[in-house]
Amino acid sequence: MVLLSAGLAHAQEASDEGPRPGPPLALATASNYQLGLPQSGILTIQPDRLFSQSAFGRRVEREIEAEGAVLTAENRRIEAELRAEELELTKRRAEMEPDAFRALADAFDQKVQETRRRQDQKLREINQMGEEARREFLNASLPVLQQILAETGAGAILDHSSVFLSAEAADITGLAISRIDEVLGDGVDTDEDAP
């Protein structure tokens, strides 16, 4: 809007004072930018959407869901086994000496606690896998984002959630997703297939 109004003001002055050399400001400046790109000094991006809607992020989400499903099934199986073991121990209690029962009960409790620690660690590893994939994605996406920054002539790309107010056109998330998908795809390394 400013470029257009500056060009019109220039044209108005030219008609009042006679012809002036050179094109109006709007025409001269517009040639420096590519069509279809935001023309803003500051751009915004939605990092969560950038990751989750990219081919890379969708693949990681599928892998994490699959790992989570395996862990959930394993937890249910272990829970059923421990419940059966606990019932068996409870049945044997009446025919056992208190000290012998206490030793078995303590060993069972220790087994339950160790199993819980082991399964919690597996869950942490799955969550860590997601965090590492997100860091890898952002690092690999940086050159694409820098290219968009250079093409638009903007001075910064800010997290959309930290901006109080901005024009919708300043949000480059959709553009970044399509460009990143072209470069990274789903992020699966195909070099392993090469001889």
Side-chain angles (χ1 to χ4, degrees):
M1 185 78 108
V2 173
L3 293 177
L4 180 58
S5 63
L8 291 176
H10 182 78
Q12 179 63 38
E13 290 173 14
S15 65
D16 292 343
E17 301 172 10
R20 283 188 153 173
L25 180 59
L27 295 177
T29 311
S31 66
N32 296 334
Y33 298 103
Q34 296 181 13
L35 291 176
L37 292 175
Q39 307 303 312
S40 174
I42 295 182
L43 304 173
T44 63
I45 202 159
Q46 299 168 47
D48 289 338
R49 182 177 152 224
L50 182 71
F51 181 73
S52 67
Q53 292 183 6
S54 69
F56 187 106
R58 291 191 310 268
R59 176 194 51 86
V60 168
E61 185 176 328
R62 285 190 306 271
E63 290 175 356
I64 288 174
E65 284 177 3
E67 293 286 335
V70 168
L71 183 62
T72 299
E74 185 178 46
N75 285 341
R76 287 183 182 145
R77 179 186 54 77
I78 291 170
E79 183 180 341
E81 289 172 0
L82 290 174
R83 190 175 295 122
E85 190 175 335
E86 182 180 28
L87 286 173
E88 180 62 29
L89 187 59
T90 303
K91 286 178 188 176
R92 293 177 57 195
R93 181 176 191 171
E95 55 196 51
M96 295 181 70
E97 292 292 323
D99 289 342
F101 175 79
R102 173 58 31 213
L104 287 176
D106 288 346
F108 177 75
D109 285 344
Q110 188 174 2
K111 179 180 179 179
V112 169
Q113 294 300 323
E114 181 55 36
T115 301
R116 183 174 293 137
R117 274 193 297 272
R118 192 170 54 247
Q119 296 307 104
D120 286 348
Q121 177 60 33
K122 289 179 183 179
L123 179 60
R124 281 192 296 274
E125 287 170 4
I126 291 172
N127 290 332
Q128 187 176 359
M129 187 174 89
E131 292 167 13
E132 288 172 1
R134 185 176 286 265
R135 279 193 298 274
E136 178 186 341
F137 171 78
L138 289 175
N139 286 336
S141 300
L142 198 55
V144 175
L145 297 175
Q146 289 170 331
Q147 180 66 34
I148 293 172
L149 195 65
E151 289 174 10
T152 60
I157 300 175
L158 302 178
D159 185 326
H160 190 78
S161 65
S162 66
V163 175
F164 179 71
L165 182 65
S166 70
E168 194 62 36
D171 187 320
I172 60 159
T173 307
L175 173 65
I177 290 169
S178 64
R179 296 259 187 109
I180 290 167
D181 282 354
E182 288 175 15
V183 173
L184 296 182
D186 66 3
V188 174
D189 189 9
T190 56
D191 292 342
E192 294 172 1
D193 300 333

